[in-house]
């Protein structure tokens, strides 16, 4: 069983940070960074660089379409980092559809036409 292999007797949560030098069991993907940090600390490994900011959701786009939304769901927008800020500002000046850029290298329609042998 996995918990036995990891030498833990429970599931990691922020409220009950159960970890060992071998690892941790998480059921929520958002707990992975904190669990890994705790496991690395037990193994004497410190981060390569100091943390910058946090891992909270920082949306660049959003619209509640004028509908009332509860405060915990109405996440405030943040200003995008460069160079995305300038690219988004330019896109917002355009009128009409904005088509996504994609490589045609592997696209089905990009293959050259070859006649079938008779």
């Amino acid at each position: 069983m996995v918990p036995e292999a990891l030498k833990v007797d429970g599931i990691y949560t922020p409220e009950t940070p159960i970890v060992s030098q071998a690892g941790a069991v998480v059921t929520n993907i958002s707990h992975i960074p904190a669990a890994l940090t705790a496991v690395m600390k037990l193994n004497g490994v410190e981060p390569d660089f100091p943390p910058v900011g946090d891992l909270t959701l920082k949306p660049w786009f959003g619209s509640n379409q004028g509908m009332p939304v509860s405060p915990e769901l109405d996440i405030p927008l943040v200003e995008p980092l460069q160079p995305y800020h300038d690219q988004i500002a330019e896109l917002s000046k355009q009128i009409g559809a904005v088509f996504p850029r994609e490589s045609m290298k592997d696209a089905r329609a990009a293959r050259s036409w070859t006649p079938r042998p008779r």
Side-chain angles (χ1 to χ4, degrees), residues 81-101:
L81 304 171
Q82 289 295 352
Y84 309 111
H85 179 271
D86 292 341
Q87 293 172 355
I88 291 168
E90 288 301 312
L91 283 175
S92 67
K93 294 178 188 175
Q94 293 182 2
I95 297 175
V98 178
F99 297 100
R101 298 173 71 186

Side-chain angles (χ1 to χ4, degrees), residues 28 50 55 86 97 112:
N28 185 327
L55 299 177
D86 292 341
S112 63

Side-chain angles (χ1 to χ4, degrees), residues 49-70:
F49 47 86
V52 177
D54 59 31
L55 299 177
T56 58
L57 184 62
K58 298 172 188 71
W60 295 347
F61 305 97
S63 174
N64 59 15
Q65 298 181 348
M67 297 172 28
V69 178
S70 64

Side-chain angles (χ1 to χ4, degrees), residues 72-86:
E72 54 271 0
L73 295 177
D74 197 11
I75 303 170
L77 302 179
V78 298
E79 190 170 306
L81 304 171
Q82 289 295 352
Y84 309 111
H85 179 271
D86 292 341

Side-chain angles (χ1 to χ4, degrees), residues 17-60:
I18 301 171
V19 298
S20 72
Q21 282 186 309
V25 177
V26 297
T27 58
N28 185 327
I29 193 170
S30 68
H31 298 159
I32 292 174
L36 285 175
T37 300
V39 171
M40 296 300 284
K41 187 172 236 174
L42 288 176
N43 285 293
V45 178
E46 294 298 319
D48 294 337
F49 47 86
V52 177
D54 59 31
L55 299 177
T56 58
L57 184 62
K58 298 172 188 71
W60 295 347

